[in-house]
């Protein structure tokens, strides 16, 4: 009751709707109970979005702005509405989260629950047992494992074909670079990524070609992003040193220096001219029986390889720096404020994250990798969740493992629900710390709108987690 007559100064005039919403949500748990309050919270968010969109609509049709393309599954009221979890609603979201289920045992279809009740009253224990068994077959646990077996996991044959195509491309690039630029200081290139960690999902369609650069120890030094004026943990600057003793052009990589720093953007431009402009990919493709073409535009230098009629592989060409302390830096640009951050190298934690995840599963025979692969598949196939990447999901599971000890195969549904809930809480806070470097915020490259939309989608999924799987399946090949 305290929030009913509270100060609403500074808020948009909503004819009392906001006050009514706050009153309903604050008292719903007393009247409707835990489950009812949770569903009311989600319904109220939906109604608030419809109302916000109506209030913000232009008065004249001629003044309407073009909106972005909607995902196929979005209802009309989810189109171009304002931010979803805007700041005056975050307390409501936090409070409603308290009443949402964290265990798969709390989730059962309403129709099945009513059927069990009618059966128990009308036909006795035998029919009730049959319906209970049906409920078990339709449980979230069974649904997740069915989704994993049929759609998430990739056959060994498909993975082998994709790896062969990636290896062929790697071999061609290695030969070309050594012949064209024999003085370029490079270590041996190698293939990496989820395709080689058995963590790729749905289709074997992506690989990373790592291109390690050799830097002179006395000419270059690395500076953590948090020690610079930009204050971006997880990104580094590579500074040119001793110019007074070793002038420009003393290092091969001085040609990629911008403002006294080794620029990953300039470096990628150099490689792009070589890989995209100098190599005769159609001729190489005809020899290998592939269709090979550079992807334009692309955040990184990427090649598309069609190695069968209906199968494509995308190979990212990633220049890599390995510093003396073992820190791995890759030339993958920051998503936001590109001009300001164009000299920043991204620190890669993938090897360490994957090793820790596998070590934990080996210790207790856990389902962490399975949970990760299901979550990756859902995010890959659901347009509303595309912005969540593998590193974010991996670290959310690693952080959850610090709090939850039961990762047995039978606990997959409970852990999947906990992962959804943890992601909502991290999105609400606007911060997902890296498990290997807590000062790094893995959500730092998401916009506020993206954070809110991801949070809303996952928040709604907590009451219907199987809906995420139903959304993903129509997109499957």
């Amino acid at each position: 009751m305290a929030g009913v007559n509270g100060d609403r100064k500074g808020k948009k005039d909503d004819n009392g709707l906001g006050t009514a919403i706050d009153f309903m949500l604050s008292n719903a748990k007393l009247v409707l109970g835990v489950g009812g309050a949770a569903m009311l919270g989600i319904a109220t968010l939906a109604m608030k979005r419809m109302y916000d969109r109506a209030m913000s609509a232009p008065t004249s049709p001629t003044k309407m702005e073009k909106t972005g393309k909607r995902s196929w599954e979005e209802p009309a009221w989810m189109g171009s509405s304002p931010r979803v979890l805007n700041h005056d609603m975050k307390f409501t979201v936090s409070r409603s989260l308290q009443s949402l289920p964290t265990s798969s045992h709390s989730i059962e279809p309403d129709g099945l629950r009513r059927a069990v009740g009618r059966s128990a009253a009308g036909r006795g224990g035998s029919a009730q047992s049959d319906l209970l068994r049906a409920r078990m077959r339709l449980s979230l646990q069974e649904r997740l494992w069915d989704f994993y077996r049929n759609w998430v996991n990739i056959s060994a044959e498909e993975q082998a074909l994709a790896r062969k195509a990636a290896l062929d491309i790697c071999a061609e690039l290695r030969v070309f670079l050594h012949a064209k630029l024999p003085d370029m200081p490079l270590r041996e290139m190698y293939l990496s990524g989820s395709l080689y960690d058995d963590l790729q999902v749905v289709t074997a369609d992506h690989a990373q070609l790592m291109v390690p650069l050799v830097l002179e120890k006395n000419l270059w030094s690395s500076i953590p992003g948090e020690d610079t004026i930009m204050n971006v943990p997880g990104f580094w600057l590579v500074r040119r040193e001793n110019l007074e003793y070793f002038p420009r052009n003393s290092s091969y990589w001085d040609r990629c220096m911008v403002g006294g720093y080794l620029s990953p953007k300039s470096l990628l431009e150099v490689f792009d001219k070589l890989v995209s402009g100098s190599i005769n990919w159609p001729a190489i493709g005809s020899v290998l029986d592939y269709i090979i073409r550079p992807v334009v535009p692309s955040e990184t230098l990427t090649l598309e390889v069609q190695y069968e009629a209906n199968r494509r592989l995308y190979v990212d060409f990633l220049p890599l720096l390995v510093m003396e302390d073992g820190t791995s830096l890759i030339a993958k640009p920051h998503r936001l404020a590109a001009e300001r951050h164009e000299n920043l190298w991204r620190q890669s934690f993938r090897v360490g994250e994957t090793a820790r995840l596998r070590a934990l599963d080996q210790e207790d025979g856990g389902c962490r990798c399975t949970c990760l692969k299901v979550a990756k598949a859902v995010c890959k196939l659901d347009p509303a969740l595309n912005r969540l990447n593998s590193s974010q999901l991996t670290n959310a599971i690693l952080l959850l493992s610090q709090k939850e000890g039961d990762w047995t195969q039978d606990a997959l549904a409970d852990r999947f629900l906990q992962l959804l809930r943890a992601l909502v809480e991290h999105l609400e806070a606007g911060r997902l710390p890296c498990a290997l470097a807590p000062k790094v915020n893995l959500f730092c490259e998401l916009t506020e709108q993206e954070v809110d939309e991801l949070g809303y989608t996952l928040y709604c999924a907590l009451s219907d987690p199987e809906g995420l799987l139903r959304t993903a399946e129509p997109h499957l090949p």
Side-chain angles (χ1 to χ4, degrees), residues 198-214:
D198 193 29
L199 289 175
Q200 196 149 110
V201 297
V202 184
T203 56
D205 61 359
H206 190 262
Q208 295 176 341
L209 176 58
M210 312 305 294
V211 187
L213 280 56
V214 178

Side-chain angles (χ1 to χ4, degrees), residues 128-381:
Q128 182 178 7
S129 297
D130 292 339
L131 285 171
L132 285 173
R133 282 194 293 271
R135 178 173 61 187
M136 291 179 64
R137 287 194 298 270
L138 295 174
S139 69
L140 176 61
Q141 177 82 2
E142 185 67 25
R143 189 77 173 82
L144 285 169
W145 279 111
D146 182 66
F147 182 74
Y148 176 80
R149 287 188 296 266
N150 293 331
W151 304 112
V152 176
N153 221 21
I154 304 172
S155 69
E157 178 187 3
E158 182 179 349
Q159 291 188 64
L161 288 172
R163 289 172 182 169
K164 180 182 182 302
L167 189 62
D168 290 340
I169 298 300
C170 180
E172 292 295 335
L173 280 169
R174 183 187 298 114
V175 170
F176 174 82
L177 289 177
H178 286 320
K180 183 81 172 178
L181 298 168
D183 59 334
M184 180 181 283
L186 297 176
R187 292 189 176 91
E188 194 65 24
M189 293 184 287
Y190 62 93
L191 290 161
S192 181
S194 58
L195 181 61
Y196 295 87
D197 298 326
D198 193 29
L199 289 175
Q200 196 149 110
V201 297
V202 184
T203 56
D205 61 359
H206 190 262
Q208 295 176 341
L209 176 58
M210 312 305 294
V211 187
L213 280 56
V214 178
L215 295 182
E216 298 85 350
K217 293 180 181 179
N218 59 332
L219 299 187
W220 302 95
S221 65
S222 56
I223 306 171
E226 60 269 25
D227 293 344
T228 69
I229 191 172
M230 289 174 284
N231 189 25
V232 190
F235 289 82
W236 294 64
L237 289 171
V238 179
R239 183 171 60 194
R240 178 67 155 84
E241 302 286 3
N242 299 320
L243 277 168
E244 62 274 22
Y245 302 109
F246 301 95
R248 196 179 180 100
N249 295 325
S250 297
S251 171
Y252 182 92
W253 304 112
D254 282 345
R255 67 195 68 191
C256 301
M257 187 169 59
V258 176
Y261 298 93
L262 182 59
S263 169
K265 180 180 178 182
S266 178
L267 188 70
L268 282 171
E269 289 173 353
V270 169
F271 280 115
D272 184 57
K273 291 177 182 177
L274 290 170
V275 175
S276 299
S278 300
I279 302 181
N280 189 346
W281 287 117
I284 294 174
S286 64
V287 173
L288 297 174
D289 198 21
Y290 300 155
I291 298 176
I292 308 169
R293 49 183 169 260
V295 176
V296 179
S298 175
E299 288 183 355
T300 58
L301 177 54
T302 303
L303 294 172
E304 179 187 354
V305 184
Q306 183 178 341
Y307 60 96
E308 285 191 358
N310 59 344
R311 286 180 176 172
R312 285 177 170 80
L313 176 71
Y314 296 89
V315 181
D316 289 339
F317 187 93
L318 282 178
L320 166 71
L321 298 175
V322 180
M323 311 313 291
E324 290 184 6
D325 62 356
T327 301
S328 295
L329 307 178
I330 56 176
K332 187 174 182 181
H334 194 290
R335 279 191 65 221
L336 308 178
E339 292 183 3
R340 182 187 177 200
H341 295 139
E342 66 180 10
N343 280 351
L344 288 177
W345 289 76
R346 181 187 301 269
Q347 184 173 358
S348 173
F349 299 97
R350 191 194 62 79
V351 174
E353 292 165 355
T354 303
R356 178 173 293 190
L357 192 73
R358 290 202 175 282
L360 290 172
D361 268 356
Q362 288 174 1
E363 288 175 5
D364 56 15
C367 63
R368 295 171 188 83
C369 289
T370 302
C371 187
L372 171 63
K373 291 173 76 170
V374 171
K376 284 178 63 174
V378 168
C379 292
K380 180 176 182 177
L381 295 166

